[in-house]
């Protein structure tokens, strides 16, 4: 899998049976996945709208975060914490790093 399809060689791309693109979610989708992954929490409309305004939240972000919080003290997992962590995931995957520059290979 890759997030860098635009730099793949066409010959390599032909070897994939499927190419699936996960587009950014809508407010409705964000709301649904917050409920699915974090059913014990209540999210405000403002929190959901804040995530929607990013226009970069994808389904995988919820899976990533869910995998992290399952090892945490449940008392520390709040709606505010989830929203802030999704923000951090967006910052990281979009290359907006404040320390250390970009991750990965330079092309």
């Amino acid at each position: 899998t890759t997030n860098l399809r635009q730099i793949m060689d066409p010959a390599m791309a032909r070897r994939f049976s499927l190419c699936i693109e996960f587009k950014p979610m809508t407010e409705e989708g964000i709301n649904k996945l917050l409920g699915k992954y974090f059913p014990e929490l209540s999210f405000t409309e403002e929190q959901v709208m804040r995530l929607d305004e990013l226009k970069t939240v994808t389904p995988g972000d919820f899976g990533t975060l869910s995998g992290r919080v399952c090892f945490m003290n449940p008392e520390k997992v709040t709606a505010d914490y989830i929203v802030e962590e999704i923000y951090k995931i967006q910052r990281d995957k979009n290359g907006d790093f404040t320390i250390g520059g970009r991750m990965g290979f330079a092309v």
Side-chain angles (χ1 to χ4, degrees), residues 22-66:
F22 291 101
K23 297 202 182 253
M25 300 176 69
T26 62
E27 182 179 340
E28 179 183 357
I30 291 168
N31 214 356
K32 282 183 182 179
L33 285 189
L34 286 171
K36 176 182 165 107
Y37 280 96
F38 311 105
E40 67 284 354
L41 300 175
S42 295
F43 294 89
T44 66
E45 186 175 326
E46 180 183 330
Q47 288 171 317
V48 175
M49 287 176 53
R50 188 170 165 227
L51 293 175
D52 180 51
E53 289 171 356
L54 291 169
K55 302 297 183 205
T56 57
V57 178
T58 60
D61 302 332
F62 292 90
T64 297
L65 185 52
S66 176

Side-chain angles (χ1 to χ4, degrees), residues 3 14-15 31 36 38 69 75 77 81-82 84 95-96 103-105 107:
N3 290 332
R14 287 192 303 268
R15 289 171 172 77
N31 214 356
K36 176 182 165 107
F38 311 105
V69 300
E75 293 176 7
V77 181
Y81 176 82
I82 296 299
E84 290 307 314
D96 183 13
M103 293 174 58
F105 298 102
V107 179

